[in-house]
Amino acid sequence: MFNQYVVRVPAERRDALRAHLAARAIGTEVYYPIPLHLQACFSELRERTGPLPVSEAAARETLALPIFPELEAIQRETVAEALVEFLATA
């Protein structure tokens, strides 16, 4: 069973995609907007880790789509069609 279904989109388009999906009543979430190494609770580790560009990019570019056991086929199709519609405007 899946806990999250995450897609990666260019950072400059993520908010637009979220708005596009929200306008179609499709919920999304950004679960990790700040990478762990940049969170205040881990500030003492920054001196040892340095920048982590892949983690930082993932924080800017990932978006979780709906996924849960009760999600029906028609709902999955609606999400997929909304994604295709958005991506076609690129």
Side-chain angles (χ1 to χ4, degrees):
M1 181 167 321
F2 294 100
N3 179 43
Q4 297 175 8
Y5 191 86
V6 178
V7 295
R8 201 160 182 172
V9 295
E12 63 275 4
R13 299 198 69 210
R14 184 177 71 181
D15 290 343
L17 175 56
R18 282 192 88 183
H20 177 81
L21 295 174
R24 286 148 184 80
I26 299 170
T28 62
E29 190 59 65
V30 176
Y31 285 109
Y32 305 103
I34 302 171
L36 290 176
H37 71 287
L38 296 179
Q39 293 182 16
C41 61
F42 296 113
S43 62
E44 72 279 355
L45 299 176
R46 288 186 195 142
E47 295 173 3
R48 292 183 289 184
T49 60
L52 298 172
V54 175
S55 295
E56 293 165 16
R60 291 187 305 269
E61 298 172 352
T62 56
L63 183 64
L65 301 176
I67 184 103
F68 50 92
E70 296 82 10
L71 192 65
E72 297 180 8
I74 189 70
Q75 293 169 307
R76 292 190 305 267
E77 291 171 15
T78 299
V79 173
E81 288 170 2
L83 283 169
V84 169
E85 180 183 33
F86 178 82
L87 295 171
T89 65

